[in-house]
Amino acid sequence: MSYLRTFAPWIVYAVIPSEYWKWAALIAFGISAATVVRQTRAGQALDAQIIDIGSGVFFAALTILAFVDPDTALRPYSPALSSGVLALIAGVSLALRNPFTLPIAKQSTPRELWDHPGFIRTSYVITSVWTASFAIGCVALTLLAHMSGPRTIAQIAAFVIPVVFTIRYVAYVQAKAQKADLA
């Protein structure tokens, strides 16, 4: 559920028809800004909100571009830019040694496991898969910028593949840890 909240602005932007792209960008910006405000008020540190803050910055810039120049040549590439920005944010979170999936995972994990090397390693692996998926999605969406059907499939795949991986990998790690505890 927390991944859904984290990526809500991106999902909303992706599902609103492209002819309404400027409104989609504005709505996504509003969701991003509201999320950051809500999480900050709830006591979440800003460094744990890298995707949310990055989303806000991206959608603020895209909203300005969309309203200032609605016929910009960048418009067909906005899905690719979205994936590219997500890849950049996720990659930066890895470079800063603060994988963006870590605060999300902490929401459903007992505090005593937060510093466990296996928990941290799992977050690095999952964030790396999300980063790769977004980067591959960026390339695919750039190549498919002027095709609506395949572009939608690529856009969805860039999110669905890491979601499925995350679910399966977490289950694998948990089963492995449980098996080790029983041994």
Side-chain angles (χ1 to χ4, degrees):
M1 183 66 168
S2 53
Y3 279 101
L4 185 59
R5 278 192 302 263
T6 298
F7 292 112
W10 303 92
I11 294 166
V12 167
Y13 181 73
V15 299
I16 294 176
S18 63
E19 61 264 19
Y20 303 109
W21 78 295
K22 59 185 179 181
W23 299 107
L26 180 61
I27 292 166
F29 169 68
I31 293 169
S32 298
T35 300
V36 170
V37 168
R38 187 186 82 248
Q39 290 179 158
T40 302
R41 284 185 178 162
Q44 190 171 42
L46 292 178
D47 65 342
Q49 299 182 58
I50 189 164
I51 288 285
D52 305 301
I53 293 168
S55 299
V57 170
F58 173 75
F59 285 116
L62 190 63
T63 298
I64 292 167
L65 174 66
F67 280 93
V68 170
D69 187 7
D71 297 321
T72 178
L74 291 176
R75 182 177 173 192
Y77 299 97
S78 65
L81 287 170
S82 296
S83 257
V85 165
L86 282 167
L88 180 66
I89 294 168
V92 166
S93 80
L94 288 169
L96 294 176
R97 304 182 55 78
N98 186 18
F100 84 87
T101 60
L102 197 56
I104 296 169
K106 286 179 178 180
Q107 293 175 14
S108 61
T109 304
R111 183 175 284 278
E112 59 269 12
L113 296 177
W114 290 5
D115 293 324
H116 189 277
F119 177 72
I120 295 168
R121 184 176 42 254
T122 298
S123 191
Y124 273 94
V125 169
I126 292 170
T127 300
S128 296
V129 169
W130 280 89
T131 304
S133 184
F134 292 143
I136 292 166
C138 176
V139 172
L141 289 164
T142 299
L143 297 172
L144 300 169
H146 298 283
M147 298 180 208
S148 60
R151 184 180 68 201
T152 303
I153 293 167
Q155 205 168 1
I156 292 168
F159 278 95
V160 171
I161 291 168
V163 165
V164 171
F165 174 82
T166 299
I167 292 166
R168 290 185 177 177
Y169 189 70
V170 167
Y172 164 77
V173 169
Q174 288 173 339
K176 189 175 172 182
Q178 188 176 30
K179 187 176 180 181
D181 285 345
L182 296 175

